[in-house]
Amino acid sequence: MSLDKLSEQLKSNATQKMPPVELWDPPYCGEIDLQIKADGQWFHNGTAFKRMSLVKLFASVLKKEADEYFLVTPVEKVKITVEDAPLLITQWIWLDDEQTVMQLTTNLDDTFILSKEHPLTISDDGGLYVTVRRNLMAKVHRNVYYQWVNFAQEVDQENEVALAITSDSEQFILGYLE
């Protein structure tokens, strides 16, 4: 399958903002040389995508199954390579003066509230990730992490001291102090 063919098929089906890819189970059509780097850049055949609109279009049909990523249409499924997480948390703001509800934004302009529905988790290697949509994760960019550390509170977490932030009445651990 070519990237142009997939792009045409997606554009012709672009009636919704976020297609219901979790409901689609098309046949596997092979692999395509499309890679999402750890820094959030998308490449095809070694060349970086220059049009953000095309990246957003492909990201709208991105699906994760087990530990593999696919671009899915109602009739085809192609495997792609993702180095780390397919998305990055690059911005955040408080939505209220009391600083109780935090809105996050990804490198592809997904916006959502850090909450039970979109939790923050720590990976085995200490990286911070947030569930964005479906089972797709976004890695918290280092700049965002450092900003959060500035106002994080020390909390007792199972006899360990942790740094935590709170959003939407949920507490999220950024890491543990030694």
Side-chain angles (χ1 to χ4, degrees), residues 28-45:
Y28 177 70
C29 298
E31 225 171 302
I32 188 168
D33 186 11
L34 194 146
Q35 184 176 38
I36 304 173
K37 299 284 189 176
D39 66 1
Q41 287 195 49
W42 288 53
F43 287 82
H44 179 253
N45 289 332

Side-chain angles (χ1 to χ4, degrees), residues 1 3 6-7 9-11 13-22 24 26 34 36 42 54-65 69-80 108 133-134 136:
M1 153 166 290
L3 195 60
L6 181 62
S7 178
Q9 190 177 71
L10 290 174
K11 286 176 184 174
N13 292 330
T15 57
Q16 297 178 359
K17 183 176 180 174
M18 207 47 66
V21 298
E22 62 277 0
W24 299 341
L34 194 146
I36 304 173
W42 288 53
L54 191 57
V55 170
K56 288 179 181 182
L57 180 66
F58 287 134
S60 73
V61 294
L62 185 60
K63 184 177 184 179
K64 182 178 180 187
E65 295 177 357
Y69 292 88
F70 301 91
L71 296 180
V72 181
T73 71
V75 295
E76 296 178 298
K77 174 169 79 172
V78 293
K79 184 178 174 184
I80 67 167
L108 299 183
R133 53 184 148 89
R134 306 178 191 104
L136 297 178

Side-chain angles (χ1 to χ4, degrees), residues 34-43 48-52 54-56 59 62 80-90 106-109 137-141:
L34 194 146
Q35 184 176 38
I36 304 173
K37 299 284 189 176
D39 66 1
Q41 287 195 49
W42 288 53
F43 287 82
F49 279 74
K50 296 195 183 341
R51 292 187 2 224
M52 183 56 72
L54 191 57
V55 170
K56 288 179 181 182
L62 185 60
I80 67 167
T81 303
V82 177
E83 280 187 354
D84 189 355
L87 302 165
L88 282 172
I89 301 297
T90 56
T106 70
N107 57 321
L108 299 183
D109 297 327
M137 304 297 280
K139 185 170 189 168
V140 175
H141 192 279

